Amino acid sequence: MALKNPAQIDQMRPAGTFVAGVLSSLRDVARVGMTLNDLDAHAHRMIDAAGAHSVYLGYHPSFGAIPYPGVLCTSVNDAALHGLPSDRVLQDGDVLSVDFAAKVQGWVADSAITFQVGSTTPEAQALIAATEQALAAGIAAAVPGGRMGDVSAAIGAVGRGAGYGINADFGGHGVGRTMHEDPHVANLGKPGTGLKLKAGLVIAIEPWFMAGGDDYVIDDDGWTIRTADGSLAAHAEHTVAITKDGPLVLTARD
Ligand code: MF3
Ligand code: CO
């Protein structure tokens, strides 16, 4: 796997700042009555205005029934990951996960947030908070000399501690010139095991938890990952550079 030198990590900052800004803007504009396509169009305009490039649009891994049709993943309520933008109209209280990655000046950043549209509910806010706490715990473990299993275990401990469903089939990944690089960053694991973490490793850490059980189902589109029991899901993601001074969150929002 490719380690980045400090100059290259600096070169990744504009991508991280851009991705963070798009997610903040989407959270600001999202309203009851808007469609998922409206949000996708908003992000697409920001990409064009910045001279950035989508790494989602047209992406077609073998599992997708169609090439990816948008610049965002928009996963609502029981959808956890890879929800396709559509004419679905946002309803009051919807739990919306927005996942966004883009390339700026030759480098990719990848980040996700989950929030409720309109009214909030304690159940959803607790799930979202646990996902964010797990992300923070995973980031804190992303230090030189640690192991990947420390990151995975830190994430899993927060989710299990809160009683949420976790499925380790999908998780984080290396990020660099492309969106998905080695290594895999699992959302469950054992401390002290796995890859030795080194300065220069840049990874997307992305816990996603389910309010119910550990199982998921995939829609006929091949993309949308949903909770098998119809319970809510939430997802949070940052692109993080491991540096000699500790973790640097490239996609930090203000
Ligand atoms: N950004 C997602 C991830 O965190 C992947 C999105 S798949 C795409 O790994 F098709 F939408 F691009
Ligand atoms: Co990712």
Side-chain angles (χ1 to χ4, degrees), residues 29-175:
V29 302
R31 291 275 181 287
V32 172
M34 283 178 80
T35 68
L36 299 177
N37 281 335
D38 291 335
L39 293 174
D40 195 76
H42 180 84
H44 209 147
R45 284 191 294 273
M46 290 185 79
I47 288 173
D48 291 343
H53 301 276
S54 175
V55 292
Y56 287 9
L57 193 63
Y59 178 57
H60 198 183
S62 53
F63 57 78
I66 52 168
Y68 200 77
V71 303
L72 298 177
C73 296
T74 51
S75 305
V76 181
N77 295 337
D78 61 316
L81 300 173
H82 306 166
L84 310 185
S86 70
D87 286 331
R88 180 183 179 135
V89 177
L90 289 169
Q91 310 290 315
D92 190 46
D94 272 351
V95 176
L96 174 65
S97 149
V98 182
D99 189 345
F100 178 62
K103 192 180 247 201
V104 177
Q105 296 170 27
W107 294 95
V108 175
D110 186 3
S111 185
I113 53 173
T114 300
F115 57 91
Q116 278 186 287
V117 180
S119 311
T120 61
T121 58
E123 295 79 5
Q125 291 301 306
L127 176 66
I128 293 167
T131 311
E132 288 174 354
Q133 281 158 21
L135 175 57
I139 292 169
V143 293
R147 298 280 200 132
M148 192 62 85
D150 303 342
V151 175
S152 301
I155 292 168
V158 172
R160 291 297 190 212
Y164 292 129
I166 308 177
N167 192 296
D169 283 1
F170 296 86
H173 47 89
V175 183

Side-chain angles (χ1 to χ4, degrees), residues 114-245:
T114 300
F115 57 91
Q116 278 186 287
V117 180
S119 311
T120 61
T121 58
E123 295 79 5
Q125 291 301 306
L127 176 66
I128 293 167
T131 311
E132 288 174 354
Q133 281 158 21
L135 175 57
I139 292 169
V143 293
R147 298 280 200 132
M148 192 62 85
D150 303 342
V151 175
S152 301
I155 292 168
V158 172
R160 291 297 190 212
Y164 292 129
I166 308 177
N167 192 296
D169 283 1
F170 296 86
H173 47 89
V175 183
R177 295 285 185 189
T178 61
M179 170 169 58
H180 290 147
E181 300 185 353
D182 286 338
H184 179 64
V185 184
N187 287 332
L188 290 169
K190 285 195 179 131
T193 66
L195 182 78
K196 287 188 176 154
L197 302 179
K198 289 185 182 158
L201 194 58
V202 179
I203 52 175
I205 301 177
E206 50 179 316
W208 60 282
F209 294 157
M210 299 176 272
D214 293 341
D215 297 327
Y216 65 85
V217 291
I218 305 180
D219 283 4
D220 288 341
D221 60 27
W223 287 104
T224 313
I225 310 288
R226 294 181 191 280
T227 62
D229 56 14
S231 65
L232 294 175
H235 176 214
E237 177 176 17
H238 274 307
T239 297
V240 180
I242 298 175
T243 78
K244 66 174 176 42
D245 302 320

